Amino acid sequence: MTQHTYDPGPWSGRLKKTHHPARQVVAPTGVCIRARFPSVKARRMVSCEQLLERDMLYLCEFASQVIDIREQPFKLQYAMGNKVRRYTPDFALTMADGSILIIEVKPADSLAKPDVREKLLHVKDAMQRQGRQFIVVSSATIRAPHRLDNLKQLHRYLRQPLSIELLQLLRQLKTQFGCQQPIPLHQLKAAAGSSEPVLRLLAHGQVSCGLDRLITADALITLTKQEINYVFVDSL
């Protein structure tokens, strides 16, 4: 069985703590696109079978409600017709309130097929009987225009921890610009000497910006914290 490891502190690439997927993630199917995602939340490399799963992880990384991620977390048996079937969810997310949210990732065109929806409805019913929270997140949510591109751009800054100097810079920017009106990124860049510290603050949710447009020099930044909850849209 595959074993993944990670440090319990801020992730640095050193591997120590373990996670055992319920099944082999990189099974030799010949059609899966396999990826290893450097997760800040999980503090380890998370295995993915498809690019859509990898893209989902970008959303999870930036959702403040999510504190840990496990791939292929367990196996479920459920009844459909006169057969007992097996199912392994894509992810289990540990939430800040201690609850566990089970995630299935599906392309929108696949989810539109009646047989796929029927299967997932049976899975959802079985999950609910076990007291589990279960949602299906479609590619339409995961790959909303521009948002995913922005999160990919910001992820490398998310992997850099907040520092005292960065928080001091944020206080200076708030003093200079205030917190009520959004400020173009190019003005904050001029005040900070570089756009990098502003993007680091944005990646860590210390400042906010609309993600439905590409982050450019004209992007409007508000110097207040942001809360992101787009992960939790059930497409089923």
Side-chain angles (χ1 to χ4, degrees), residues 120-140:
L120 290 173
L121 286 170
H122 278 83
V123 169
K124 186 171 187 176
D125 182 64
M127 291 279 190
Q128 289 176 341
R129 288 199 302 271
Q130 293 185 3
R132 300 181 188 271
Q133 300 180 67
F134 173 78
I135 66 172
V136 178
V137 184
S138 79
S139 57

Side-chain angles (χ1 to χ4, degrees), residues 165-183:
E165 293 76 15
L166 196 61
L167 293 175
Q168 289 174 340
L169 172 63
L170 177 57
R171 287 193 290 269
Q172 294 170 8
L173 293 175
K174 287 180 176 180
T175 300
Q176 181 175 350
F177 294 102
C179 298
Q180 302 304 315
Q181 298 298 323
I183 312 299

Side-chain angles (χ1 to χ4, degrees), residues 1 11 20-21 27 49 52 71 190 203 228 232 236:
M1 179 178 289
W11 187 73
H20 301 275
E49 287 186 336
L52 188 60
E71 71 275 36
I228 298 177
F232 314 110
L236 190 59

Side-chain angles (χ1 to χ4, degrees), residues 1 4 7 29 43-44 55 58 90 92 102 108 128 130 134 152 156 163 168 179 197 199 220:
M1 179 178 289
H4 303 301
D7 269 337
T29 62
R43 302 179 295 281
R44 61 182 175 85
D55 291 346
Y58 282 105
D90 292 325
I102 309 303
Q128 289 176 341
Q130 293 185 3
F134 173 78
K152 287 180 177 180
R156 66 189 181 98
S163 63
Q168 289 174 340
C179 298
L199 293 175
L220 296 176

Side-chain angles (χ1 to χ4, degrees), residues 5-219:
T5 57
Y6 59 95
D7 269 337
W11 187 73
S12 63
R14 295 188 300 275
L15 307 177
K16 291 182 181 177
K17 197 174 177 182
T18 62
H19 164 59
H20 301 275
R23 68 175 175 83
Q24 184 74 9
V25 176
V26 291
T29 62
V31 296
C32 290
I33 300 173
R34 299 155 195 156
R36 302 268 286 168
F37 182 86
S39 171
V40 175
K41 291 289 177 70
R43 302 179 295 281
R44 61 182 175 85
M45 300 296 288
V46 175
S47 297
C48 311
E49 287 186 336
Q50 305 173 45
L51 289 180
L52 188 60
E53 291 180 15
R54 182 207 62 186
D55 291 346
M56 175 66 187
L57 289 172
Y58 282 105
L59 274 67
C60 296
E61 289 284 277
F62 286 92
S64 59
Q65 303 95 327
V66 177
I67 62 172
D68 195 12
I69 303 165
R70 290 179 293 134
E71 71 275 36
Q72 311 288 335
F74 58 86
K75 292 181 180 179
L76 172 78
Q77 289 188 335
Y78 68 100
M80 184 174 173
N82 59 356
K83 294 183 179 180
V84 175
R85 304 175 184 239
R86 295 177 181 177
Y87 165 76
T88 304
D90 292 325
F91 300 110
L93 307 181
T94 303
M95 313 305 285
D97 62 3
S99 63
I100 304 295
L101 181 62
I102 309 303
I103 298 287
E104 174 67 18
V105 172
K106 273 285 181 283
D109 56 353
S110 175
L111 195 56
K113 298 176 181 178
D115 58 330
V116 174
R117 291 186 65 86
E118 181 185 10
K119 171 189 171 181
L120 290 173
L121 286 170
H122 278 83
V123 169
K124 186 171 187 176
D125 182 64
M127 291 279 190
Q128 289 176 341
R129 288 199 302 271
Q130 293 185 3
R132 300 181 188 271
Q133 300 180 67
F134 173 78
I135 66 172
V136 178
V137 184
S138 79
S139 57
T141 295
I142 297 170
R143 293 173 172 167
H146 302 311
R147 183 176 62 200
L148 182 60
D149 291 331
N150 287 330
L151 297 184
K152 287 180 177 180
Q153 176 187 352
L154 292 172
H155 190 255
R156 66 189 181 98
Y157 298 108
L158 185 65
R159 295 177 64 184
Q160 303 170 14
L162 284 171
S163 63
I164 294 176
E165 293 76 15
L166 196 61
L167 293 175
Q168 289 174 340
L169 172 63
L170 177 57
R171 287 193 290 269
Q172 294 170 8
L173 293 175
K174 287 180 176 180
T175 300
Q176 181 175 350
F177 294 102
C179 298
Q180 302 304 315
Q181 298 298 323
I183 312 299
L185 177 58
H186 64 81
Q187 290 188 25
L188 295 174
K189 175 182 176 181
S194 167
S195 61
E196 180 173 339
V198 181
L199 293 175
R200 285 177 62 192
L201 288 167
L202 182 59
H204 284 277
Q206 298 298 308
V207 300
S208 56
C209 174
L211 297 175
D212 57 350
R213 298 178 62 183
L214 288 176
I215 298 173
T216 64
D218 295 325

